[in-house]
Amino acid sequence: MSEVAGELARVRGAFSQPTLTLLHQRQAPVVIAIFRAAFGRNNKPIPTARLHAQVEEHLAQVRRTGESDVPVGSGHEVCRRWMRGQWLVRSLDERDNEVYSLTSHAQQALELVKSLARDRATLSEHRIATILGSVRRFNSEANPDRTARVTILNEEIARLQAERDRLVDGAEMVGATEDFMAEGFTELLSLISALPSDFARVEERFAAIRGEVLAAFRAEDRPAGEVIDDYLARADSLMTSTHEGRAFEGAFALLRDDALVAQLREDLTALLDHPLSDGILSDADRAELRGTVHLVRDGLDRVLTQRSRVTATLKDYIVSHDAVRDRQLEQTLRQLESELMGWLATTGPRATHDVPLLPRRATVEHLRERFYDPADDVLPDPIEESDPSQAPPVSLADLMAQGGPQLAELRQRLDATLSSLLPAGSLGELFSGLEPSLRRPVEIFGLLHLAAGRDWGSEEDLEAYDAVRPDGSRRAFAVPRTRLPDPDRPESDTGA
């Protein structure tokens, strides 16, 4: 790829950022003006209903001035378009109320417009001195040569000592020129104006991490402990490996040092009380410089609140997580989202669709029919031991009468019948010719078992088995007819 093609790719990537898409549209002046009027310099969150009303009022005032390129629609619709453009974000405040706030992209655009609205700073001694001082200080802190660092510090100490001695000896004080002060205030305001967007970027990073953590929990493709470890690692890297994170840590360290905060206030007060400041700074610039500490504190509080929300999300999920319920709810929501996106792709923003209160048919894999009853788990009463002397006597014949089929006796009778001169024609006829002790109902199963062992098949016709119970009562059973083989024929007609 050539050098020009590479530059073109980088420029296209920059123009695709929400900051430049906001500034590149025809309605950019109106949108930027509404953002500045509604949110001010501190980007304080605004309740959703209030911002909708403010947007409608501001748009009406702009139309009365004769402006043609004005966003159309209600305040709610306009704010939704700005959210899709990644210039507005909607979230919940500490009272769980929905609020709007500007994204870091929108704040960066406001900062750029604000810097262009000021008079451009020209080349001056102050700017050159600032560059030289920054390079010198940077080198003194980063130079790997110990001797070079000591030399730089000695030169700086000597210069400061000489200036101090000159002032102590009563030498003339060289006053700052108006150009020098204007250049200094311009650079200072530029640095302070960049703070809200820097804090907003850190806040958005934590919000993105919160969404990714929730998505990882709901996906359930990784253990919860692994997701938490990943969050802690990312939160730590956010504070150490990104410019916004390091700036946040530096600002946090500044506010922990009461001496540095007091020194910052004193230096700002001295600069604002300078005789030349009245002709250089406007009332808005003075308010912005005077509220620097409050601006930093507010940005830190918002970042810490967002980080606390991530921690609270982790805690709530770990304490009240129900994997089965979340999986069922996630599947239902995904189906609803899929159907909704498919419907929106073919309809307009004002399209409506009648939805029944109940679905036509509820698909339930299993419906609980009865609930847990503690009485089901109660142990039965213990078996009472009876007195052996009072038990009725039981003989071996009585026990055998209640037992299973007598296969040995039945097999002998069956073999005897097959070898006799006049064998029975079927199992039913054989059964009817047995004595009552071998005609119990259970003996029918014994005969069928022996017939199956010899591969004798049964017919569709039924025949009656007149059974006799041990107590003498009778019972007839209808059983498929099973013919006995004829020993005089090589192939008997058994129905097999």
Side-chain angles (χ1 to χ4, degrees), residues 192-409:
I192 295 174
S193 299
L195 288 177
S197 61
D198 291 339
F199 284 123
R201 275 191 287 272
V202 181
E203 185 180 355
E204 291 169 3
R205 288 288 187 89
F206 274 114
I209 292 176
R210 177 175 178 269
E212 293 172 1
V213 168
L214 284 177
F217 275 136
R218 291 166 180 165
E220 297 182 358
D221 54 355
R222 293 189 299 169
E226 182 178 343
V227 175
I228 296 174
D229 292 340
D230 183 40
Y231 158 70
L232 295 176
R234 293 189 60 184
D236 183 65
S237 63
L238 176 62
M239 293 304 173
T240 57
S241 62
T242 62
H243 299 290
E244 299 86 355
R246 289 192 293 269
F248 172 80
E249 286 294 324
F252 196 60
L254 170 65
L255 291 183
R256 283 200 301 261
D257 193 335
D258 295 335
L260 286 178
V261 174
Q263 180 184 347
L264 176 60
R265 285 199 179 98
E266 292 176 1
D267 292 339
L268 289 173
T269 302
L271 290 174
L272 293 175
D273 292 341
H274 195 277
L276 297 178
S277 64
D278 294 336
I280 298 174
L281 299 175
S282 62
D283 293 339
D285 293 336
R286 284 182 171 275
E288 185 171 352
L289 290 174
R290 191 176 293 111
T292 299
V293 176
H294 177 72
L295 177 66
V296 176
R297 288 188 184 277
D298 185 63
L300 288 175
D301 290 340
R302 293 181 60 180
V303 173
L304 292 176
T305 300
Q306 190 62 249
R307 187 168 66 177
S308 300
R309 291 187 63 189
V310 180
T311 306
T313 299
L314 293 174
K315 177 183 176 182
D316 294 341
Y317 188 87
I318 294 172
V319 172
S320 60
H321 174 57
D322 187 342
V324 177
R325 181 187 62 188
D326 289 353
R327 189 182 300 111
Q328 294 174 350
L329 177 61
E330 180 70 16
Q331 292 175 355
T332 303
L333 293 179
R334 284 181 180 176
Q335 294 176 359
L336 292 175
E337 183 179 8
S338 176
E339 295 294 335
L340 181 62
M341 295 304 295
W343 178 68
L344 289 176
T346 57
T347 58
R350 295 183 178 273
T352 59
H353 179 69
D354 295 333
V355 179
L357 295 179
L358 293 176
R360 296 181 180 178
R361 182 178 180 182
T363 303
V364 181
E365 296 181 359
H366 175 72
L367 184 63
R368 187 186 296 272
E369 298 178 356
R370 59 191 301 269
F371 296 94
Y372 172 74
D373 186 1
D376 296 340
D377 292 339
V378 177
L379 296 177
D381 295 335
I383 299 177
E384 298 180 358
E385 296 183 0
S386 60
D387 188 0
S389 61
Q390 298 179 359
V394 179
S395 63
L396 178 59
D398 295 336
L399 292 176
M400 293 181 64
Q402 302 296 330
Q406 306 174 54
L407 294 179
E409 293 291 337

Side-chain angles (χ1 to χ4, degrees), residues 139-150:
N139 185 31
S140 67
E141 297 175 355
N143 197 307
D145 189 352
R146 183 186 301 272
T147 304
R149 284 197 188 188
V150 173

Side-chain angles (χ1 to χ4, degrees), residues 159-182:
R159 185 185 67 80
L160 295 176
Q161 184 69 32
E163 178 65 17
R164 175 184 177 280
D165 294 342
R166 190 183 69 82
L167 294 176
V168 170
D169 293 340
E172 180 182 0
M173 291 182 59
V174 179
T177 63
E178 185 174 355
D179 291 339
F180 181 86
M181 294 295 296

Side-chain angles (χ1 to χ4, degrees), residues 20-37 58-59 62 65 67-71 82 87 109-110 113:
L20 289 185
T21 57
L22 171 58
L23 297 175
H24 196 258
Q25 61 174 329
R26 293 181 304 170
Q27 300 173 351
V30 177
V31 177
I32 295 295
I34 292 177
F35 283 167
R36 293 181 63 175
H58 292 328
L59 290 177
V62 171
T65 62
E67 181 68 28
S68 58
D69 289 331
V70 179
W82 290 345
W87 309 321
L110 265 65
V113 172

